[in-house]
Amino acid sequence: MKPIKFNREETKAMVGEIQDYFREELDQDIGAMPAEMLMRFFIDKMGAYFYNRGLYDARDLLIQRMDSLSDDVFALEQPTKHLR
């Protein structure tokens, strides 16, 4: 798996989310540098779990869509004397 990377705007937004969480939930201020280090720790150690969950969810959605498309194709079938 290639490394998970975020652009500057995404990183800034996530750092802000971490800072907000620490301030609101833990009543602590955390600087941008420690917040980014925490973010990178979670990306490195937990990122694959979130990435894989997204893949599993996408796969399940594709399977549902393919089943639906298959049903739609069979619904187009014209009646014949030949039994399937």
Side-chain angles (χ1 to χ4, degrees):
M1 182 178 109
K2 67 180 189 176
I4 299 171
K5 297 190 185 237
F6 296 99
N7 65 33
R8 182 182 296 186
E9 293 80 22
E10 292 167 326
T11 299
K12 187 176 178 180
M14 287 187 282
V15 165
E17 293 283 352
I18 292 169
Q19 289 176 305
D20 290 346
Y21 177 82
F22 269 73
R23 188 173 31 262
E24 293 167 8
E25 299 296 327
L26 303 174
D27 199 27
Q28 294 181 3
D29 286 326
I30 183 173
M33 180 82 73
E36 186 170 343
M37 290 173 65
L38 183 60
M39 178 198 80
R40 295 204 183 281
F41 166 79
F42 276 103
I43 289 169
D44 292 343
K45 301 297 182 186
M46 308 293 172
Y49 293 99
F50 290 97
Y51 181 85
N52 289 344
R53 174 53 48 205
L55 289 178
Y56 303 151
D57 291 346
R59 190 192 99 239
D60 290 344
L61 179 64
L62 285 171
I63 289 170
Q64 290 174 10
R65 295 280 171 95
M66 291 302 293
D67 287 344
S68 177
L69 284 172
S70 181
D71 292 344
D72 291 345
V73 168
F74 281 117
L76 297 173
E77 188 175 21
Q78 297 294 313
T80 64
K81 291 183 181 182
H82 176 270
L83 299 177
R84 191 171 4 139

